Every structure is written in structure tokens, then in C-alpha cells.
Amino acid sequence: LQPGDAIIVNGTLGDHGLTIMAERAGLSLGSQLKSDVAPLWNLVAGALAAGDIHAMKDPTRGGFASAINEMARKSRVGVRIREELIPLKKSVRSASEMLGIDPLQVANEGKVVMGVPPGEADAVLSALRSHPLGADAAIIGTVTEGSRVVMATAAGGERFIETPLGDPVPRVC
């Protein structure tokens, strides 16, 4: 990652982990929750063809929070995320609130987090959105100087996005 890079995700976060947790907790949410397990190579190939990508990671164990913190730490930069830009399904938000879990710390199996130079971000975003697994892709933040991963909240405050201490979903595969 480099300061100024756009942080892009290819779709809604928390789908897989919340689906597993709700099932294990016996929450009957019908078909509102669905795992996002999917192979991403064709999606990623299209993004790579559209522009430069400085960094890329799958947000599996520890979810988005773990992935973005690892990317920032390894690149020695900070990241600023805007809460209102994070794609979350209403069902994921509701289930995470019921279970008391941060959806940013939940496993994803069909998602990717990318750091893209600002001049290439729109082209990469367009390429992602042209693929079925990227229909909900979004630019959710920016790489900054510093060393913290911060989220600007919808209420006008800020909070740190910390690396999870554990994983709420024990490994199932």
C-alpha cells in the first residue's frame, strides 16, 4: 500500500462468517444470510487487466479488520475507512448486532481487499463491478501516512479498526 491508494472491496462483507454463526446459534433467518464462498481468479484477473493494484488480500480469518491491519502494517502506512461506504447486507448487520459481533471481524470466503493507485481506482472498480462477484464492489477508504487503521463513523466520530484477538467462528475447513 502507498499513501493516497484507494481501498476497494469487491462486495458485501461478513456474509460467510455471519451465516455460519447464525446457523450454529440456531437463529432462523431463512434465506436472508448466505455464504459468499466463491473462486475469485476471474474477478481478480479482470481487475489486474484494468489497472495497477499495489496490494491485495483475502479477508478470511479475522475478516476485513485483520486483512486491512496486516496490509497497513506490512506497508508501514495508515488507512482511513468511511463507515457509510462499507457494503454490508441488512441481514448481516442485524445478525451481527444480535450476536454482539463486529461484522468487520468476521470471515469472508469470496471477497478481496485491494489497495489501488488513485488514478486507477475507477477503472479497477468498473472492472470489478462488471463481474457477478463484484457487483457490490466499493471504494471504502484511503491509505494515509501513519500507522493506524481508523474508521470515520457515520455519526461523525472515529474509531480504530483493530486486529481481532480471536476469531468468533472456529475453523470449519
Side-chain angles (χ1 to χ4, degrees), residues 80-84 150-160:
R80 185 168 183 79
I81 301 297
R82 291 183 42 205
E83 181 178 37
E84 73 274 7
V150 177
M151 180 167 61
T153 66
E158 290 184 340
R159 78 170 176 95
F160 294 120

Side-chain angles (χ1 to χ4, degrees), residues 52-136:
D52 270 349
I53 298 173
H54 285 161
M56 184 171 15
K57 180 150 181 58
D58 62 323
T60 51
R61 302 294 286 176
F64 174 80
S66 181
I68 198 66
N69 274 285
E70 181 180 340
M71 293 169 78
R73 185 180 67 250
K74 287 181 175 180
S75 300
R76 297 185 176 146
V77 296
V79 175
R80 185 168 183 79
I81 301 297
R82 291 183 42 205
E83 181 178 37
E84 73 274 7
L85 301 179
I86 298 170
L88 287 174
K89 290 180 181 169
K90 188 183 252 184
S91 57
V92 167
R93 191 179 310 273
S94 297
S96 66
E97 287 173 4
M98 281 191 285
L99 294 168
I101 301 217
D102 183 347
L104 300 183
Q105 295 185 358
V106 175
N108 300 272
E109 292 292 342
K111 299 299 186 285
V112 62
V113 180
M114 299 175 174
V116 178
E120 314 247 349
D122 288 337
V124 170
L125 183 63
S126 180
L128 290 170
R129 287 180 174 166
S130 73
H131 190 284
L133 296 175
D136 295 318

